[in-house]
Amino acid sequence: HVQLVESGGGSVQAGGSLTLSCEFSGDIDRASCIAWFRWGPGKEREGVATIRGRTTVYADSVKGRFTISRDTAKNTLYLQMDSLKAEDTAMYYCAAHWSGGDRFRMGSYTYWGQGTQVTVS
């Protein structure tokens, strides 16, 4: 049984920083792709960043501002968010157990966390 638990969200002023964490338990292949998605008010859920091994992929909207990383020893995924903008306001989710295909497609992932809220004003 796989569980994902996000933390680290909060309220921050524009230009500030936050670091999100996602602790996962259960059988997740260390080589598998895991990802961060977000769902903002009035928007569709979108992929933010993915990591597979040492390969990272970012949405254009966050390139140069967000950094995804993974500590395999701690079974934890991170998202360092810098230079935050109001449009980054969203519930952020981590997703795991990638089945292949489009890494930014929600349906490519089996397991999801409950989310952590980020509000930028």
Side-chain angles (χ1 to χ4, degrees):
H1 179 64
V2 174
Q3 283 190 315
L4 306 172
V5 180
E6 302 96 334
S7 62
S11 296
V12 65
Q13 291 187 337
S17 298
L18 281 174
T19 301
L20 305 184
S21 300
C22 172
E23 293 187 50
F24 46 88
S25 58
D27 185 17
I28 295 180
D29 186 347
R30 290 188 172 191
S32 178
C33 182
I34 47 179
W36 286 99
F37 284 74
R38 67 184 179 186
W39 196 358
K43 301 179 182 179
E44 294 185 356
R45 196 177 294 197
E46 63 170 342
V48 174
T50 72
I51 184 167
R52 184 185 185 194
R54 295 182 179 181
T55 301
T56 57
V57 180
Y58 297 93
D60 288 343
S61 58
V62 306
K63 277 181 184 176
R65 301 188 298 121
F66 289 11
T67 304
I68 188 172
S69 61
R70 178 178 182 176
D71 187 328
T72 54
K74 295 182 178 180
N75 282 348
T76 302
L77 177 71
Y78 300 99
L79 185 67
Q80 173 67 39
M81 306 186 296
D82 299 315
S83 302
L84 283 162
K85 305 175 181 180
E87 50 263 43
D88 295 319
T89 294
M91 185 73 81
Y92 284 73
Y93 301 86
C94 59
H97 198 79
W98 178 57
S99 60
D102 185 354
R103 298 181 189 190
F104 281 150
R105 187 175 69 90
M106 290 175 54
S108 297
Y109 299 87
T110 303
Y111 300 109
W112 293 81
Q114 292 300 306
T116 185
Q117 178 67 39
V118 172
T119 302
V120 184
S121 59

